[in-house]
């Protein structure tokens, strides 16, 4: 199963829907009304997900504390985002919708951690969280990332109450190996590049199909945008955003970001009209 298929699960698509259309505009402060269950079933049905799978995924997200039950003004069963889920989505906006490229002069952030043996479950949580933030492994217990990830890392570790186990440092790489060679050890760049190329293989044809079209049919825009966003939203975490001089000449990350940005500009607003119509009519 490839990465695109793995991501396109009912649970992932529901999270993607709420991130795109279930909380107001990305980066905005307004709160959307809870989404009726009937609307969620129709909205996910447009993506090929059957009703039992939607209900099962909603139940799992509720158990994880990401969705909270509510009622619409008419008394219909609905689900809204928990405060934790809203914070996670807001944190993701900075990555998903436009992270500035790192510069060599910005330097690096190091995370050095030590966890007592009796709390080793937190060691696993720390490793997995740093990996999800985009850190590479410089040595056992020493993780590294571009310095622009410092604030997000600090905020995330504090939110998860993992900060007592970690020391953060910022600085430059002073040798001995060339930094480009060291970066190739710290990250699996081949795997990251393959993920970008898989995204491009799936989404560049979508962009070509939409480029000449006017106007944009809302249902088709909604479907293609949600699928593109679901495929894209993990890539800015897998890719730490390394300075371009440290990357291979044929690095596909810039083109992948460009394609997603063009799809977002073309489809997001039209897709929002469709999402609003189904939500209001549920």
């Amino acid at each position: 199963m490839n990465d695109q298929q793995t991501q396109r699960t009912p649970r992932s698509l529901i999270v993607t829907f709420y991130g795109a259309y279930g909380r107001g505009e990305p980066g905005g402060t307004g709160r959307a009304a809870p989404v009726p269950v009937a609307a969620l079933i129709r909205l996910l049905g447009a993506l090929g997900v059957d009703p039992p799978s939607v209900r099962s995924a909603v139940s799992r997200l509720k158990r994880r504390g990401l969705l909270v039950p509510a009622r619409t003004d008419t008394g219909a069963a609905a689900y809204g985002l928990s405060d934790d889920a809203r914070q996670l989505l807001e944190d993701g906006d900075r990555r998903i919708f436009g992270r500035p490229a790192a510069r060599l002069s910005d330097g690096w952030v190091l995370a050095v951690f030590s966890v007592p043996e009796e709390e080793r479950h937190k060691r696993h949580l720390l490793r997995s969280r740093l990996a999800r933030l985009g850190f590479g492994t410089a040595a056992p217990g020493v993780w590294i990332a571009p310095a622009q990830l410092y604030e997000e890392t600090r905020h995330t570790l504090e939110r998860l109450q993992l900060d007592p186990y970690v020391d953060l440092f910022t600085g430059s790489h002073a040798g001995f190996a060339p930094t480009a060679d060291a970066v190739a050890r710290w990250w699996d760049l081949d795997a990251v590049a393959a993920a970008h190329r898989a995204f491009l293989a799936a989404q560049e044809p979508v962009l070509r199909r939409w480029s000449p079209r006017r106007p944009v049919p809302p249902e088709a825009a909604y479907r293609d945008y949600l699928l593109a966003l679901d495929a894209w939203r993990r890539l800015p975490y897998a890719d730490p955003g390394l300075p371009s001089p440290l990357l291979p000449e044929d690095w596909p990350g810039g083109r992948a970001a460009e394609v997603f940005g063009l799809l977002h500009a073309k489809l997001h607003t039209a897709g929002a009209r469709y999402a609003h119509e189904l939500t209001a009519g549920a």
Side-chain angles (χ1 to χ4, degrees):
M1 180 177 291
N2 63 33
D3 288 342
Q4 300 293 327
Q5 292 170 322
T6 301
Q7 292 168 12
R8 198 166 294 171
T9 64
R11 182 164 48 179
S12 176
L13 288 169
I14 289 172
V15 172
T16 300
F17 164 77
Y18 274 95
Y21 299 126
R23 60 182 176 120
E25 288 296 309
T29 58
R31 293 201 173 206
V35 181
V37 175
L40 274 177
I41 289 172
R42 294 173 65 189
L43 287 160
L44 270 292
L47 304 174
V49 182
D50 59 66
S53 297
V54 175
R55 294 189 180 95
S56 177
V58 166
S59 295
R60 289 196 297 271
L61 291 168
K62 177 184 173 184
R63 288 196 298 270
R64 289 181 56 192
L66 298 177
L67 294 181
V68 292
R71 292 283 175 181
T72 67
D73 292 341
T74 61
Y79 281 91
L81 290 167
S82 68
D83 289 339
D84 284 347
R86 191 175 298 279
Q87 184 63 61
L88 286 171
L89 291 172
E90 290 173 359
D91 287 347
D93 288 343
R94 289 183 289 275
R95 292 268 189 125
I96 296 167
F97 296 102
R99 175 181 60 185
R103 300 170 300 180
L104 273 174
S105 59
D106 293 338
W108 305 90
V109 56
L110 287 177
V112 181
F113 65 83
S114 178
V115 180
E117 183 60 27
E118 61 270 18
E119 297 182 280
R120 57 184 176 274
H121 64 285
K122 292 187 177 179
R123 188 181 306 136
H124 172 73
L125 180 58
L126 259 170
R127 288 170 178 159
S128 63
R129 185 58 58 170
L130 289 171
R132 287 175 62 185
L133 285 167
F135 276 69
T137 308
V142 181
W143 293 62
I144 189 167
Q148 66 175 353
L149 300 185
Y150 169 77
E151 289 296 341
E152 183 180 359
T153 301
R154 186 181 186 92
H155 166 71
T156 299
L157 295 176
E158 288 175 343
R159 178 170 53 81
L160 296 174
Q161 299 181 339
L162 293 171
D163 51 299
Y165 307 97
V166 184
D167 286 303
L168 296 178
F169 303 87
T170 59
S172 59
H173 179 236
F176 292 93
T179 303
D181 293 346
V183 160
R185 296 196 311 271
W186 298 338
W187 283 274
D188 186 347
L189 294 181
D190 288 342
V192 178
H196 281 303
R197 292 190 178 102
F199 175 84
L200 288 170
Q203 300 303 326
E204 280 191 308
V206 178
L207 181 62
R208 287 194 295 270
R209 186 167 70 245
W210 279 106
S211 293
R213 295 179 66 170
R214 290 281 196 282
V216 178
E219 181 177 358
Y222 163 84
R223 181 184 62 250
D224 283 354
Y225 179 69
L226 257 291
L227 295 177
L229 177 58
D230 192 64
W232 167 257
R233 65 184 177 88
R234 291 168 180 78
L235 285 177
Y237 287 92
D239 185 336
L242 296 170
S244 58
L246 302 180
L247 294 169
E249 290 185 4
D250 60 347
W251 187 252
R255 176 57 182 166
E258 179 185 18
V259 167
F260 174 72
L262 291 170
L263 286 170
H264 176 79
K266 182 76 174 180
L267 303 178
H268 178 262
T269 299
R273 291 197 293 272
Y274 178 77
H276 175 72
E277 289 170 6
L278 261 66
T279 302

